[in-house]
Amino acid sequence: MSAEEFNELAGRIEGLSIAVMFLAAELEHEAVINGPRYCEVMRGMASKLSFDGGHLAATQRTLREMAKRMDEARSQRRSSVDRT
């Protein structure tokens, strides 16, 4: 895979990740989903995944990182509301 192909793939994956996190934040804001529970489920899924392929560790790490980033964003939103 060339550097250009890798960057294209990485950019698409990052874009999808951001879209999923934004969607989850919006659904949480509208009280459609429980955000902390969603993150907990993502972490649980990461621990339970098992499939053949060299990308298992990256998949698990990505799910955990996304959950962490969503938790951090939720915390920031709360602290900014608390300050107003």
Side-chain angles (χ1 to χ4, degrees):
M1 176 182 291
S2 72
E4 185 177 326
E5 290 170 324
F6 175 82
N7 287 334
E8 176 71 19
L9 179 60
R12 287 176 180 261
I13 292 168
E14 185 70 20
L16 287 169
S17 298
I18 290 168
V20 168
M21 290 187 297
F22 180 76
L23 177 61
E26 288 295 309
L27 292 173
E28 182 179 356
H29 178 74
E30 297 297 324
V32 175
I33 65 168
N34 178 323
R37 172 81 175 117
Y38 180 70
C39 291
E40 180 184 318
V41 168
M42 284 179 47
R43 287 184 184 95
M45 277 186 350
S47 298
K48 293 175 184 169
L49 285 177
S50 64
F51 51 80
D52 292 334
H55 61 289
L56 175 60
T59 302
Q60 292 169 321
R61 188 172 54 252
T62 299
L63 287 170
R64 289 183 184 113
E65 287 173 359
M66 287 178 66
K68 180 181 177 190
R69 287 173 63 187
M70 290 189 313
D71 285 339
E72 290 169 350
R74 184 181 314 103
S75 179
Q76 284 182 330
R77 288 192 303 273
R78 281 190 190 134
S79 69
S80 67
V81 168
D82 291 344
R83 285 185 241 158
T84 59

